[in-house]
Amino acid sequence: MGKNSKAKESGGKGKGKQAASGSDDNPSKGKGKGGKAADGLGTCTYVKARHILCEKQGKINEVYKKLQDGWLSNGDKVPPAEFAKLAQEYSECPSGKKGGDLGWFPRGKMAGPFQDVAFSTPVGATSAAFKSTHGYHIILSEGRKN
């Protein structure tokens, strides 16, 4: 972990389910826009999500700890309003001003690991912290549709 290599996109920072979606035994190593149902992410074509983006891993880990202490360690789901407050406070993305709200976006619009995690996180669930080309993220999935 932490090495600057192209293997990053296979997800060394996430938990098991997210990391598994980018396994090396998939013969098509397409990055960015890519697979449909064969990529293990289901068949929905749109996801509604919020996210928190931080440049530094330490900062995103601090946010994730707050989520764990408040909800996740008890097995609870993070309320969208509470996630939005943390996004406004911590996110370094312009969407942070809107509580991290990215609205609905189609498969293929977001790059590599962000798309993988967004489309594999169950509705209402919060992802583990993970790295993309833009920094470190946490995603709250709010909906799916075709």
Side-chain angles (χ1 to χ4, degrees):
M1 285 193 203
K3 301 269 187 218
N4 288 332
S5 70
K6 292 182 182 177
K8 269 191 219 172
E9 245 177 305
S10 65
K13 300 283 184 220
K15 286 190 177 174
K17 289 181 184 174
Q18 287 93 4
S21 66
S23 68
D24 290 334
D25 41 285
N26 184 347
S28 68
K29 291 189 177 185
K31 294 183 171 108
K33 296 180 184 181
K36 298 285 183 208
D39 63 6
L41 301 177
T43 58
C44 69
T45 51
Y46 288 86
V47 167
K48 184 175 191 299
R50 293 181 182 272
H51 83 129
I52 297 170
L53 169 67
C54 299
E55 182 183 339
K56 305 267 186 219
Q57 186 175 14
K59 188 173 179 182
I60 201 75
N61 288 343
E62 179 183 334
V63 176
Y64 193 72
K65 181 164 179 14
K66 286 181 180 262
L67 293 170
Q68 283 182 311
D69 292 347
W71 301 276
L72 300 176
S73 62
N74 299 329
D76 296 331
K77 292 183 177 182
V78 178
E82 295 300 323
F83 189 93
K85 286 180 192 175
L86 288 171
Q88 288 174 337
E89 183 178 346
Y90 289 94
S91 186
E92 297 165 14
C93 179
S95 69
K97 293 176 183 168
K98 300 183 300 176
D101 189 7
L102 297 173
W104 291 98
F105 55 89
R107 187 181 300 276
K109 180 172 181 169
M110 303 296 185
F114 192 94
Q115 174 175 282
D116 293 347
V117 175
F119 278 83
S120 64
T121 301
V123 173
T126 304
S127 74
F130 66 96
K131 184 168 176 46
S132 80
T133 55
H134 299 286
Y136 296 89
H137 306 262
I138 298 170
I139 294 177
L140 172 66
S141 176
E142 294 191 298
R144 290 182 181 198
K145 67 182 181 181
N146 288 329

